[in-house]
Amino acid sequence: MRTEQSIKNIFISIFSQLIIVALGFISRKVFLDSLGVNYLGVNGLLTNVLSMMALVEGGIGLSIVYNLYKPLAESDRKKVIALVQLYKKVYKILALITLLISLCLYPFLEHLMKEGESISNITIIYFLFVAKNIVSYLNAHKWSLINADQRGYVLVRMELFFQVTTTVAKILVLIATENYILYLLIEFFIYIIQNITNGIIVNKRYSYIKTKTKHSIDNDTKENLKKNVKALFLHNIGGFCVFGTDNILISSFVSIATVGLYSNYTMITQQLASLISPLLGGIGASVGNLIATESNEKNYSVFKIAYLMNFWIYSFSLIFLYNLLEPFINWWLGDGYLLDNVAFIFILINFYLNGMRTAISTFKNKAGLFVQDKYAPLFEGLINLVFSLVLVKYLGLTGIFLGTAISTLSTVFWTQPVIVYKNVFKRSVWSYFKSYSFYALLTIGTCFITTIACNNFVEGGNFISLLLKGIICLVIPNSIYVIVFFKTAEFQYLTNILKSNLFKLRRKRQIIKGV
């Protein structure tokens, strides 16, 4: 049952993301042609500034979701209702706090925008971002409930509809008016409708949560929530200092236009990550259920499979990006939108380092291991800020990205696997680092071979050249990895799962044809 739900989540998410990605590239091209790179920089800057609001949330949502897995699996409706009621109450308070903090941040906004004098109506723009941020809290308790119950694919269908509607509407507004305010207003009003619609869907599926009877949470759960929220608050601060400050630093020390250029790179890497995410994240809720019900050995065997998937997907993605990202930007947007080569290399290094944490982070979070390394993200964030602020003076943009890489390698790169291996798998962590080292060397070697093939067999930067490079990047890395891992138990398991689901798909088609 866990496998079927995971696969359903994965395939629906990938299908929807492919459509959203295609529309996203069209939308970005229209945005740049209509408004220019400075407005694109403002878009990225305000997204980062307001991500500070996530610090207010303090990990409450993640902690409550973790506590929902067991009562949902055991059909303990009273406890589910109690947790949802608590979640709803807390998030109403957080919405108010978010508004107050946003008002306090506003006077400092102009100091973060180097060479951003051409941006008009910045007050309206800022508070439209704030309003959307607050709306996101209104139905957060319902979204978390359905995701914890492994039914996230139900909302993904609506997410696809609303994202397509929003993107098309924004494209039409930009073509017709070239007005950034109208662009944001359209996005905001459709987002409100989406929240209301999703809320109705969850209410129908979990009608028992619509009760006026108040349910209290037992003391053990309360203590667990308090402990985890305190730890996750520190995690959020560290996470923001690492992943939420790049655009702020670039805007403050380089220029707002450079934020716009960088956002083209991050758009592609994030869109790729959004396609990857369902493949690894689709098993997330299943892992929570697995840890709650299975043995350490079973958990470890599933992790090794997830770890191999994690490597394969991110290694292939890194090689693909190295050979195609910048040629694609040139083809897509034209000349003048590239960063320097060294900055590009560090963008890819950080993409790989962050991506390779996915499997271990999933097991850590789903096991509720938030307290054990509560100070590690703070050190990571502090190291990132210190190194980035120092190195930006000497290396410019590259210094900011180098600071991020240094902070990751010196903290969470090793703390997360140590905690998971000790508390979940009950075994030595050295096997993790041996595998990681082997995976890293294999990635570098395969990238070298693939790049030589691309450079020797493909010339030019037109669409056909991109397709040919894409085929080379698809065939060579995957062929090498099949040869290397073919005999492993993890590869055989994944192959059997794929064969099993293809067989089920064929059976369904035969049944439909028979009918």
Side-chain angles (χ1 to χ4, degrees), residues 41-217:
V42 168
N43 208 71
L45 173 64
L46 291 183
T47 299
N48 263 186
V49 168
L50 292 175
S51 67
M52 280 191 286
M53 298 301 102
L55 301 181
V56 176
E57 192 264 354
I60 296 169
L62 185 58
S63 184
I64 292 177
V65 168
Y66 163 70
N67 280 279
L68 276 170
Y69 287 127
K70 191 171 182 178
L72 281 168
E74 297 174 351
S75 298
D76 186 351
R77 290 191 171 186
K78 287 185 178 180
K79 190 165 185 178
V80 170
I81 293 169
L83 286 165
V84 169
Q85 287 177 343
L86 174 64
Y87 203 155
K88 184 178 181 180
K89 180 181 178 181
V90 169
Y91 269 68
K92 283 181 179 178
I93 298 170
L94 291 177
L96 178 60
I97 294 173
T98 297
L99 176 60
L100 294 175
I101 294 177
S102 299
L103 290 170
C104 295
L105 284 174
Y106 172 70
F108 303 98
L109 190 61
E110 62 181 29
H111 301 293
L112 299 176
M113 296 172 57
K114 187 176 181 180
E115 300 176 14
E117 296 81 7
S118 61
I119 307 300
S120 57
N121 298 312
I122 191 64
T123 300
I124 298 173
I125 292 169
Y126 177 74
F127 284 105
L128 280 172
F129 271 84
V130 171
K132 185 182 177 185
N133 213 30
I134 291 172
V135 167
S136 68
Y137 286 133
L138 300 182
N139 275 321
H141 61 292
K142 296 178 182 178
W143 292 21
S144 295
L145 172 61
I146 198 169
N147 284 325
D149 199 27
Q150 302 185 60
R151 299 293 187 274
Y153 58 85
V154 175
L155 295 186
V156 170
R157 294 164 187 164
M158 296 307 299
E159 175 78 9
L160 173 61
F161 170 77
F162 280 107
Q163 286 215 33
V164 169
T165 302
T166 302
T167 305
V168 171
K170 291 193 297 185
I171 289 171
L172 294 175
V173 165
L174 286 177
I175 292 173
T177 68
E178 297 187 353
N179 188 306
Y180 187 49
I181 303 295
L182 286 177
Y183 171 93
L184 293 176
L185 281 170
I186 286 289
E187 181 180 48
F188 176 62
F189 285 123
I190 295 177
Y191 188 66
I192 291 175
I193 296 169
Q194 179 183 356
N195 270 265
I196 294 170
T197 305
N198 285 344
I200 292 170
I201 291 171
V202 175
N203 284 340
K204 286 182 179 179
R205 188 170 281 265
Y206 305 92
S207 56
Y208 62 86
I209 67 171
K210 293 178 65 180
T211 176
K212 293 182 179 179
T213 305
K214 301 297 180 184
H215 292 266
S216 58
I217 298 173

Side-chain angles (χ1 to χ4, degrees), residues 447-504:
C447 186
F448 180 73
I449 294 168
T450 307
T451 302
I452 289 175
C454 285
N455 292 339
N456 287 336
F457 294 108
V458 182
E459 294 182 356
N462 56 33
F463 184 70
I464 299 300
S465 298
L466 289 174
L467 282 178
L468 292 173
K469 281 189 176 182
I471 292 169
I472 291 172
C473 291
L474 180 67
V475 172
I476 292 179
N478 287 300
S479 298
I480 290 173
Y481 296 160
V482 167
I483 293 169
V484 172
F485 297 105
F486 180 75
K487 293 185 177 180
T488 64
E490 293 78 23
F491 181 85
Q492 293 299 322
Y493 177 87
L494 291 171
T495 304
N496 290 335
I497 288 290
L498 182 60
K499 288 178 181 177
S500 174
N501 283 280
L502 287 174
F503 175 75
K504 288 179 183 178

Side-chain angles (χ1 to χ4, degrees), residues 7-17 153 156-157:
I7 291 169
K8 187 180 289 187
N9 285 340
I10 287 169
F11 278 104
I12 291 175
S13 296
I14 290 175
F15 173 73
S16 63
Q17 285 298 335
Y153 58 85
V156 170
R157 294 164 187 164

Side-chain angles (χ1 to χ4, degrees), residues 246 249-250 252-254 385-403:
D246 280 356
L249 291 170
I250 295 168
S252 301
F253 292 96
V254 185
L385 282 177
V386 171
F387 274 91
S388 294
L389 287 169
V390 172
L391 293 173
V392 71
K393 296 179 180 179
Y394 301 99
L395 302 175
L397 184 64
T398 300
I400 295 173
F401 302 144
L402 177 56

Side-chain angles (χ1 to χ4, degrees), residues 506-515:
R506 283 197 296 267
R507 288 281 295 172
K508 285 181 180 179
R509 286 178 177 174
Q510 290 171 358
I511 292 169
I512 292 169
K513 287 179 180 179
V515 173

